[in-house]
């Protein structure tokens, strides 16, 4: 089906949007819980205007305003193809499986939509068949599903572990894709998804796919999102982080291992390797890659205990890994040259004609890894910060752009006719300056729609009077005592959110024995299992860190309290944070006030936003960090918080829950 014809003129669109949200309008007639909300209607009108006229709109819509409908309705009624990108998979699913079917009924306008995930979620038919042809019995377990699936989406396979080596060997990643040269190109699940999306009115993606796609868009293949001229980017406060991840460079031991494995298979199948020259080149890369990542891991270990944190590499680091790095570069050079020669029909008659493309693809992949490694080892680009991460067996050498504002502007915003950047938390102290600067937004319209919730009635903010400063040695003991005091008064039903894993574990160990309710601890079960358990276990108390600060929705009294241990400043030891701070200082700015405080305010507001998810919800919010009151910058946090009455008295929490507001 082709996209719907455009509505004629801005005023026609504004009228239909107005009508949809009006009392007795299309939404009120169809959605049983719908109530006309002025803020929602105002935002929908602004979105309609920018989609029609072009430009950028910054739209902050507080909790309960119905933000998603406020942009989906004008997107549908505008009858153009619109790209919708979300920060989380949860919101992506909610839009596709819940909101769009409802709007299809309510608006009476036919439209099509495609839900797109990242390439690695889909099966690569070509790789799968090659594995089978190689006699790899592991992939046989997938054969029945492959014969049956319409989408090739791994989500259809029950019990497939998150980190499955089997899946990694058959997934449709950009790095392993042959593009138009692939013999299965037309049946390919990614190709078909792209075709469906190209014929859809709404294309629903997430920021990871959006940025991954924009990062490879200049190459001949790899891009999956079809051309869209209008975009709505929800949860836009996450965009800087995701862009930082995708517009950087990464070389890992896994990437090298996959290259060695895949190249070995291609050579075995397609190349006449008499004399063993190819095998020797591959083995050389394998050995040197092991030596190189061994050296990186050793250098990392010599700089302190190996945890999740990233460590910046500079100076002596490079001295320690340079020799092994140069050896690996030389081996990659040799392998690439040999493969490139083999892939040319004239150059190497030992390669069977049909396999030239495959050999060319592994040659190109070898060259790309060599170039990335060279970029990382030279560490010359002052626009990047270079660092190492180790996770389990994985050793990751990365470079991340220090400032993504130009990248976001050039690769995303300026390619669009219209862009809406929206979130529940986008402004700091009522201003969009911070997000404008971080995302490279110059000219833009603005709208702020306050939360629909009545924080004065629905919430209470508890700030303890006598907490030590977070650096004090007995901070954890004092925090644990407060947590016990609070959750006893709220009868559990609480999220206790921490800024670090170690603080979470310490306070959990100290407070746990004194809490007479079920305790849940992040890390003891998958995130979704913990959330399900929290929802069904009466009076549960969940101890968690950053992944629960955002995108978690527990409606109702099961979540009646959110306790935050410290103001969530990004760790100054983190290489990206440190490099951003240095860059701002070098440019004559005040990094603390211009960057660290606003970023922490937005993070805090995300955590606070977990408390009230419905207009009948009530709850207590507690922030244990005394800097909120003792430091001058604390005022900026307090002024950005929703207007809940403040108390320093634990008994007030008890009284708050004793009052029957209905
Ligand atoms: S086009 Fe790419 S992803 Fe699709 S089957 Fe071929 S190699 Fe795999």
């Amino acid at each position: 089906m082709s996209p719907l014809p455009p509505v004629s003129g801005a005023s026609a669109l504004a009228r239909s949007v107005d009508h949809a949200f009006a009392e007795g309008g299309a939404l009120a007639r169809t959605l049983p819980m719908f109530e006309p909300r002025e803020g929602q209607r105002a935002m929908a009108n602004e979105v309609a205007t920018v989609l029609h006229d072009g430009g950028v709109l910054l739209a902050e819509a507080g909790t309960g305003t119905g933000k998603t409908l406020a942009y989906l309705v004008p997107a549908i009624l505008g009858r153009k193809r619109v790209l919708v990108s979300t920060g989380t998979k949860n919101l992506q699913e909610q839009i596709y499986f819940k909101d769009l079917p409802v709007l299809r009924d309510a608006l009476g306008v036919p439209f099509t939509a495609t839900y797109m995930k990242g390439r690695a979620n889909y099966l690569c038919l070509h790789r799968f068949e090659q594995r089978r042809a190689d006699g790899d019995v592991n992939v046989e377990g997938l054969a029945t599903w492959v014969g049956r699936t319409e989408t090739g989406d791994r989500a259809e396979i029950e019990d497939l572990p998150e980190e499955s080596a089997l899946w990694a060997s058959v997934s449709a990643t950009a790095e392993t894709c042959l593009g138009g040269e692939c013999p299965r190109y037309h049946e390919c699940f990614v190709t078909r998804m792209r075709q469906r999306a190209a014929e859809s009115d709404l294309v629903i993606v997430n920021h990871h796919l959006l940025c991954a796609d924009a990062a490879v868009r200049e190459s001949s293949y790899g891009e999956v999102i079809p051309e869209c001229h209008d975009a709505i980017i929800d949860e836009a406060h996450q965009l800087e982080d995701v862009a930082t991840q995708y517009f950087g460079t990464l070389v890992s031991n896994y990437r090298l291992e996959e290259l060695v494995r895949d190249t070995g298979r291609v050579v075995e199948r397609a190349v006449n390797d008499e004399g063993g020259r190819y095998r020797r080149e591959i083995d050389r890369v394998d050995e040197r890659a092991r030596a190189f990542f061994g050296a990186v891991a050793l250098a990392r270990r010599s700089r302190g205990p190996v945890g999740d944190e990233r460590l910046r590499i500079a100076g002596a680091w490079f001295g320690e890994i340079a020799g092994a790095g140069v050896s690996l570069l030389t081996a990659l050079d040799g392998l690439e040259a040999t493969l490139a020669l083999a892939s040319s029909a004239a150059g190497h008659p030992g390669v069977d004609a049909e396999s030239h493309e495959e050999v060319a693809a592994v040659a190109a992949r070898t060259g790309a890894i060599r170039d990335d490694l060279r970029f990382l080892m030279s560490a010359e680009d002052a626009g990047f910060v270079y660092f190492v991460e180790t996770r389990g067996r994985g050793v990751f050498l990365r470079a991340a752009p220090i400032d993504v504002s130009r990248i976001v502007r050039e690769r995303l915003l300026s390619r669009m006719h219209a862009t809406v950047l929206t979130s529940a938390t986008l402004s700091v102290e009522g201003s969009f300056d911070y997000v404008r600067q971080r995302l490279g937004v110059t000219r833009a319209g603005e709208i702020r729609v306050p939360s629909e919730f009545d924080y004065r009635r629905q919430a209470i903010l508890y700030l303890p009077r006598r907490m030590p400063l977070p650096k004090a040695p007995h901070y954890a003991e004092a925090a644990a005592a407060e947590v016990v005091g609070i959750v006893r008064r709220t009868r559990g039903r609480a999220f206790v959110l921490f800024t670090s894993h170690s603080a979470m574990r310490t306070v959990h160990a100290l407070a746990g024995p004194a809490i007479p309710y079920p305790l849940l601890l992040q890390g003891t079960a998958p995130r979704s299992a913990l959330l399900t358990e929290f929802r069904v276990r009466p009076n549960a108390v969940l101890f968690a860190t950053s992944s629960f600060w955002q995108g978690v929705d527990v409606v109702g009294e099961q979540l009646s309290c959110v306790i935050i241990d410290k103001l969530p400043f990004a760790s100054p030891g983190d290489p990206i944070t440190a490099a951003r701070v240095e860059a701002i200082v070098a440019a004559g700015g005040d990094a603390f006030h211009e960057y660290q405080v606003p970023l922490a305010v937005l993070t805090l507001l995300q955590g606070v936003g977990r408390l009230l998810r419905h207009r009948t919800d009530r709850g207590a919010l507690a922030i244990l960090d005394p800097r909120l009151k003792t430091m001058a910058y604390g005022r900026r946090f307090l002024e950005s918080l929703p207007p809940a009455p403040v108390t320093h008295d634990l008994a007030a929490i008890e009284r708050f829950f004793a009052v029957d507001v209905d």
Side-chain angles (χ1 to χ4, degrees), residues 572-640:
D574 176 70
I576 298 177
T577 308
R580 288 188 171 149
V581 166
E582 285 163 21
I584 294 168
V585 172
D590 178 340
F592 187 67
H593 290 105
E594 289 169 27
Y595 174 57
Q596 290 161 285
V597 169
L599 180 59
V601 167
L602 291 178
T603 312
L604 178 71
L605 293 178
Q606 278 294 323
V608 168
R610 299 311 102 212
L611 183 64
L612 302 185
R613 308 304 296 170
H614 190 268
R615 60 173 66 183
T616 57
D617 282 359
R618 300 180 76 237
L621 173 68
I623 303 174
L624 308 184
D625 193 330
R627 292 175 294 178
L628 213 47
K629 298 292 272 185
T630 58
M631 297 298 192
Y633 60 76
R635 182 191 50 77
R636 298 181 67 189
F637 287 86
L638 286 171
E639 282 179 6
S640 298

Side-chain angles (χ1 to χ4, degrees), residues 348-619:
H348 207 284
V351 178
D352 91 59
E354 284 189 5
S355 302
H356 283 136
E357 287 308 333
E358 263 197 276
V359 181
V362 282
R365 208 168 131 190
T366 309
I369 293 176
R370 184 227 20 237
D371 293 347
D372 284 350
L373 182 62
R374 189 169 284 151
F375 176 75
L376 287 161
M377 293 300 298
S378 68
E380 278 169 359
D381 193 325
F384 285 78
V385 54
Y386 300 81
F387 56 95
V388 168
E389 277 178 291
T390 47
R391 281 198 303 276
R393 206 176 64 71
V395 182
F396 306 83
L397 202 61
R398 310 183 77 125
I402 294 171
D403 180 359
V404 295
S405 62
R406 189 180 51 79
I407 298 172
V408 170
R409 189 171 59 242
E410 288 175 7
R411 301 281 192 99
L412 294 171
L413 304 182
S414 65
R415 287 185 179 177
M416 294 290 167
H417 162 257
T419 310
V420 177
L421 293 160
T422 184
S423 168
T425 53
L426 217 49
S427 71
V428 178
E429 298 167 277
S431 155
F432 288 101
D433 288 356
Y434 173 75
V435 74
R436 276 176 180 273
Q437 190 234 326
R438 302 308 304 173
L439 297 181
V441 178
T442 42
R443 284 158 55 109
E446 294 179 355
I447 179 169
R448 288 182 65 223
V449 182
S451 169
E452 277 291 309
F453 302 150
D454 182 355
Y455 275 87
R456 287 182 183 83
R457 240 181 90 253
Q458 290 178 254
I460 184 168
L461 169 60
Y462 169 66
L463 306 176
R465 223 182 269 284
R466 277 179 293 276
M467 279 294 290
L469 283 170
K471 282 212 173 108
H474 55 296
Y475 188 81
E477 282 82 3
E482 286 291 346
V483 169
V484 172
I486 297 164
V487 300
R488 279 174 171 265
R489 283 160 177 86
T490 62
R491 287 178 287 121
R493 307 181 296 169
F495 274 7
V496 192
L497 300 177
F498 295 86
T499 51
S500 77
H501 287 266
S502 68
M504 174 188 77
R505 284 190 291 267
T506 309
V507 174
H508 172 263
L510 290 167
I515 297 177
Y517 305 113
L519 298 182
L520 302 170
L521 177 67
Q522 186 183 337
T524 55
R527 183 174 180 269
S528 56
L530 281 174
L531 262 180
T532 306
E533 186 146 8
F534 183 86
R535 288 193 174 102
V536 299
R537 288 256 238 151
N539 308 92
V541 178
L542 171 73
F543 289 72
T545 67
S546 55
S547 62
F548 284 82
W549 285 69
Q550 312 198 8
V552 173
D553 209 6
V554 181
V555 178
E557 66 170 36
Q558 189 60 23
L559 177 61
S560 296
C561 173
V562 169
I563 303 172
I564 287 169
D565 81 323
K566 287 177 196 163
L567 297 179
F569 286 108
S571 163
D574 176 70
I576 298 177
T577 308
R580 288 188 171 149
V581 166
E582 285 163 21
I584 294 168
V585 172
D590 178 340
F592 187 67
H593 290 105
E594 289 169 27
Y595 174 57
Q596 290 161 285
V597 169
L599 180 59
V601 167
L602 291 178
T603 312
L604 178 71
L605 293 178
Q606 278 294 323
V608 168
R610 299 311 102 212
L611 183 64
L612 302 185
R613 308 304 296 170
H614 190 268
R615 60 173 66 183
T616 57
D617 282 359
R618 300 180 76 237

Side-chain angles (χ1 to χ4, degrees), residues 119 123-127 170-173 176-191:
R119 296 185 62 116
L123 180 93
C124 168
L125 280 171
H126 180 66
R127 291 181 87 194
V170 293
S171 63
T173 58
T176 54
C177 179
L178 302 179
E181 308 297 337
C182 170
R184 303 301 300 272
Y185 182 75
H186 295 289
E187 301 108 281
C188 168
F189 294 114
V190 175
T191 310

